[in-house]
Amino acid sequence: MGYDAETPRLWLERISEKHLQDFHLLWSSQESMIWSQHSPMQTLEQSRIFMQKSLTSVNPKIDKYTILLRPDPDPEIRDEAEIKCTTPRLIGLLGTVGDGMELVYMLHCDFWEKGFMTEALTVFVGKEGIFLGIGDKNRSLVKSLVARIDTENVGSMKTIAKVGARKGELLVKDYGLAKDRGADGEVPVEKLRDTIRCTPNYEPFFGLLQATSPPSLYSMEYSPEKKTILGSLAYHWSEADRAVIHFPTSTHPVPARVFSNCGTSSLGNFSLLPLEIIHNILLELDLASLGAIRCLNTHFYDTVGKVPAYRDLTTFAPNALRALSATDVLSNYSIRYLYNILCRDRCIGCNEFGSFLFLPTASRCCFSCIKAHPETEVVSASAATALFGLTESALSRVTIARTVVGQYGISEKSSRRRIRVVSREEARRLGISIHGSQTEMERAASLGIRRGGNSDGSSHKHRIQGGTNRPMPQPPGANDTLRFMACTAFPYLDAQQRQIDKGVCCRGCEYNWYRRDEDFAPGHDIDEDLFRKQNMAFSEDEFLAHFETCGSAKMLWNDYILKSRSVSESDRSTLFRT
């Protein structure tokens, strides 16, 4: 009988209904389930129903394999438990869930601390493991296989470390144990437990985790045809990046200082804490504070450098961090907050792919929303105080950014002086909060009255002399260049696959825009929102889906790419953007 994998003591075999009896023995063992979010099974029928969910034929996103104790293991390494085994016995399970991205495993308590799980993991995901070759799925697409392990599950930590796994991000309040469930079946928030993401040292994706520079835009494992589609009909609109705050490559910050020796310096009382807790504390700091701590000594330098979120931000978004520093808002946002934004790709305004960061609120946005959405509207600090009846001290409650001298917008309008700007929406909400209502705020602003809270929670008002005759600031939108002066390019990081995506636009939608006043071939409809579609960015996966529905992209593919003609030969090529 053939098995998927074997070791001197074990066989691995895809789980099936023939394993039900041993499956029930495993899942009904209370001690074996000590770290599980599932309650032990009470009856064989319960186990049957639960096992059905683990069958690949039922749930294609799950691949579960039984760990079978061989009836004839090497006599030199047999022990009492093995001698009792005369037929293959299921002693544990391992496999993947979540489209093959997460590694899960468990072992019956009778076989703990005997090296069985290390043996099974090694043959499954070790350096010579067979993970990519098992099953019908193309496992080369799996770039970041991870295991989430309870921070107190020392045995499991040691086991996965033996196959070369690396500790990663600490996930706070990640899951709850079955024994902690209340009467309503839910685990109270205070009893939720922390886990650590561990990554097995498996060659196809482990090398990617150690990359010191962002992967190329088209580094995903696509088929040759899809790569050709991406390379010929998708493009990153670099002009948009230059329309916001940007810096030449040559002016990147110089490398951080290197300490020649550490002397007698140390982490001080920090060294008494577990590394995971230290990292969790550092995540709550802003980048300016973290940079200062990093310069204290070698130990802090190394400790900060090993925080995954800090490492990813400095590796994948160095220009965005410099923009935060140049606009004096670097100390306004914690590492954790910025990292969460880095790992989310949706625009705050339209929920499409966003490739920019709105600095006054550190929100992700797309190019179209920079130009038009209320959430990305900015006004000068002086205009905000007048518009919403606020004192300077009250306005300091919202983030105030200082613009950077440069050229902004697609028309590259020059800005030769730095001004203080705020989010108009943030300032408006603050004004309503202080004045009590929108109506009262507008009345106070029209009379030139400015209010602001004192440190004791009371409020005071200050009336501008001649306030009733004072001209109001220009209406919103009068200076759209300010919007671009408050944004910078911000890539998206797929934390699971360790892929960076700057967003791509569609040549077909661009073609539609330039042909909007001309007759189209049958099937090519002109949409009212062509300009927005031309500027819309997609992730690579989204673009491949969009390609199937974009008539002009299909036309360019069929009439030019497949006929070995460059898109530059089209009648509108001279207008195509870069």
Side-chain angles (χ1 to χ4, degrees), residues 538-572:
F538 304 90
S539 67
E540 293 175 21
D541 287 336
E542 286 178 330
F543 176 80
L544 291 172
H546 167 78
F547 169 77
E548 298 299 327
T549 61
C550 181
S552 289
K554 285 280 192 180
M555 180 274 294
L556 292 173
W557 173 254
N558 293 324
D559 294 353
Y560 291 89
I561 308 304
L562 292 183
K563 294 180 180 179
S564 299
R565 298 169 60 195
S566 171
V567 175
S568 61
E569 299 177 40
S570 66
D571 59 342
R572 291 286 164 176

Side-chain angles (χ1 to χ4, degrees), residues 403-436:
T403 60
V404 179
V405 174
Q407 294 181 318
Y408 294 94
I410 299 302
S411 58
E412 298 185 346
K413 292 182 180 179
S414 294
S415 173
R416 300 183 180 277
R417 65 188 183 92
R418 302 186 68 183
I419 59 175
R420 297 161 65 243
V421 297
V422 298
S423 162
R424 187 179 189 277
E425 273 299 295
E426 290 287 301
R428 185 185 69 83
R429 293 178 189 130
L430 176 63
I432 293 175
S433 173
I434 290 177
H435 291 285

Side-chain angles (χ1 to χ4, degrees), residues 224-294:
E225 182 183 58
K226 289 182 178 180
K227 287 182 178 179
T228 304
I229 292 173
L230 285 168
S232 57
L233 297 176
Y235 68 99
H236 179 68
W237 186 21
S238 56
E239 288 180 3
D241 292 350
R242 296 192 294 270
V244 296
I245 298 175
H246 64 281
F247 304 95
T249 304
S250 59
T251 61
H252 276 188
V254 296
R257 61 177 293 191
V258 176
F259 297 90
S260 58
N261 65 76
C262 57
T264 59
S265 61
S266 69
L267 294 179
N269 290 336
F270 254 44
S271 61
L272 302 176
L273 300 173
L275 182 61
E276 292 78 20
I277 293 180
I278 293 176
H279 281 188
N280 206 36
I281 292 172
L282 296 178
L283 283 174
E284 300 303 326
L285 298 179
D286 59 81
L287 270 163
S289 300
L290 204 60
I293 288 177
R294 195 167 182 247

